[in-house]
């Protein structure tokens, strides 16, 4: 189940969008071919204009005639008037069509009447790029996903791209990577045991225990939802420019 809210803010316009992702379900974990489905509803709200977009991710059903991974949605203003219709799939493309007229459709039930929208021709909002060559040998990663772990000079020594077992695996050294993975995991467990021992000692002595705090983020209340979230402190780029990483822990 998804936790927390996602924010997207455009500083030039002041538009601030907030939403929570739908449920991701992994099928055939034990037996069969693994596959993932997304299901549920999302409300994307603009805190500035109060416009909202309601999206529905339709779960896969063997008996359904709908296309798999289908997504439908409506964009409405702060008065609830619908202006756009969204349709597509969450893994291929999404289209948007402007509403020019709406009416109540006929229904067997007088209590539930479906709204019928007349729209202009749809426009493509986004479309999936073709997968790179030999994608079946690279976990079907997109070109972007394949580059996310590329080494970079001058990054923090705690950057996950520097994790040694990961680098060994990418270089095809599987046996060395497994050995290194076990060493790192044991190192992490040792650090956790030490922190737990320090906390217990502080409790026995009646002292306030200072738990680990993230280096680049701090916990604050979300100004919109009121939930506690981690926000970027903003000092990483200054530290990177100076190449002064002495505050970083030895995690590898």
């Amino acid at each position: 189940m998804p936790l927390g809210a996602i924010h997207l803010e455009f500083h030039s316009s002041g538009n601030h969008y907030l939403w929570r992702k739908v449920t991701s379900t992994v099928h055939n974990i034990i037996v069969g071919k693994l596959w993932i489905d997304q299901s549920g509803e999302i409300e994307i709200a603009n805190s500035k204009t109060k416009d909202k977009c309601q999206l529905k991710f339709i779960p896969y059903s063997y008996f359904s005639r709908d296309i798999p991974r289908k997504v439908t949605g409506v964009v409405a203003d702060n008065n609830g008037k619908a202006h756009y219709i969204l349709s597509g799939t969450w893994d291929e493309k999404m289209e948007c069509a402007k509403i020019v007229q709406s009416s109540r459709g006929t229904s067997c039930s007088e209590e539930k009447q479906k709204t019928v929208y007349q729209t202009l021709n749809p426009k493509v909002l986004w479309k999936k790029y073709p997968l790179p060559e030999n994608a079946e040998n690279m976990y079907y990663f997109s070109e972007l996903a394949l580059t996310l772990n590329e080494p970079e000079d001058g990054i923090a020594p705690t950057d996950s791209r520097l994790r040694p077992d990961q680098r060994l695996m990418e270089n095809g050294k599987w046996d060395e990577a497994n050995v290194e993975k076990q060493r790192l995991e044991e190192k992490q467990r040792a650090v956790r045991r030490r922190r737990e021992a320090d906390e217990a000692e502080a409790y026995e002595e009646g002292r306030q225990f200072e738990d680990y705090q993230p280096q680049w983020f701090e916990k604050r209340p979300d100004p919109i939802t009121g939930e506690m979230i981690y926000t970027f402190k903003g000092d990483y780029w200054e530290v990177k420019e100076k190449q002064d990483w002495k505050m970083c822990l030895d995690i590898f």
Side-chain angles (χ1 to χ4, degrees):
M1 296 296 293
L3 297 175
I6 301 170
H7 294 260
L8 175 61
E9 184 175 3
F10 294 90
H11 297 289
S12 59
S13 64
N15 289 318
H16 188 149
Y17 299 92
L18 184 145
W19 70 93
R20 301 174 189 271
K21 74 178 295 292
V22 293
T23 300
S24 300
T25 305
V26 181
H27 296 266
N28 300 335
I29 293 180
I30 299 176
V31 179
K33 185 178 180 180
L34 281 174
W35 62 281
I36 297 177
D37 196 19
Q38 318 284 351
S39 60
E41 296 186 6
I42 292 179
E43 180 182 86
I44 305 173
N46 185 332
S47 61
K48 177 184 177 181
T49 64
K50 307 305 179 184
D51 297 341
K52 291 182 180 180
C53 173
Q54 301 285 348
L55 287 176
K56 185 176 182 180
F57 288 65
I58 300 173
Y60 172 79
S61 172
Y62 180 80
F63 302 101
S64 175
R65 294 183 179 180
D66 283 331
I67 58 173
R69 300 172 289 279
K70 183 177 180 181
V71 180
T72 60
V74 178
V75 179
D77 59 25
N78 59 348
N79 295 317
K81 182 181 178 181
H83 290 269
Y84 295 93
I85 291 292
L86 302 177
S87 62
T89 60
W90 52 262
D91 66 333
E92 287 289 342
K93 70 175 182 178
M94 287 294 295
E95 295 180 334
C96 174
K98 184 177 178 59
I99 297 172
V100 293
Q101 187 175 346
S102 62
S103 59
R104 291 290 183 180
T106 58
S107 174
C108 296
S109 173
E110 294 183 359
E111 297 180 359
K112 294 183 178 180
Q113 287 188 324
K114 186 177 181 180
T115 303
V116 178
Y117 297 109
Q118 294 181 7
T119 66
L120 300 178
N121 291 330
K123 294 182 178 181
V124 176
L125 296 177
W126 64 264
K127 185 177 181 180
K128 183 185 76 172
Y129 279 100
L131 291 173
E133 202 172 336
N134 298 319
E136 65 276 7
N137 298 324
M138 298 179 290
Y139 305 99
Y140 290 95
F141 282 178
S142 65
E143 290 188 15
L144 173 63
L146 287 170
T147 62
L148 290 178
N149 202 44
E150 287 295 315
E152 178 188 341
D153 294 332
I155 56 179
T158 53
D159 195 296
S160 62
R161 288 172 287 180
L162 298 177
R163 181 166 167 146
D165 60 333
Q166 189 173 260
R167 298 256 64 91
L168 287 168
M169 186 189 73
E170 289 208 357
N171 292 329
K173 299 179 180 179
W174 295 95
D175 293 338
E176 295 93 328
N178 285 328
V179 173
E180 187 65 14
K181 180 174 182 291
Q182 293 176 10
R183 182 191 69 81
L184 285 172
E185 289 177 347
E186 181 53 40
K187 183 174 182 178
Q188 292 168 1
R189 285 190 285 266
V191 171
R192 180 175 179 177
R193 288 193 295 266
R194 185 168 67 249
R195 286 179 182 160
E196 291 174 346
D198 292 343
E199 183 178 10
E201 182 180 347
Y203 179 77
E204 291 176 358
E205 297 177 357
R207 294 185 288 106
Q208 182 72 28
F209 175 70
E210 294 185 5
D211 199 1
Y212 169 77
Q213 298 296 324
Q215 183 65 49
W216 313 113
F217 296 84
E218 59 184 346
K219 209 170 188 179
R220 291 181 177 177
D222 188 313
I224 297 178
T225 66
E227 300 173 350
M228 296 302 295
I229 60 172
Y230 283 97
T231 58
F232 181 50
K233 291 181 180 179
D235 55 346
Y236 173 83
W237 304 110
E238 289 80 2
V239 173
K240 183 180 180 182
E241 185 177 359
K242 296 177 182 178
Q243 287 296 293
D244 181 13
W245 304 109
K246 61 178 179 292
M247 74 293 293
C248 293
L249 300 176
D250 177 18
I251 64 173
F252 299 140

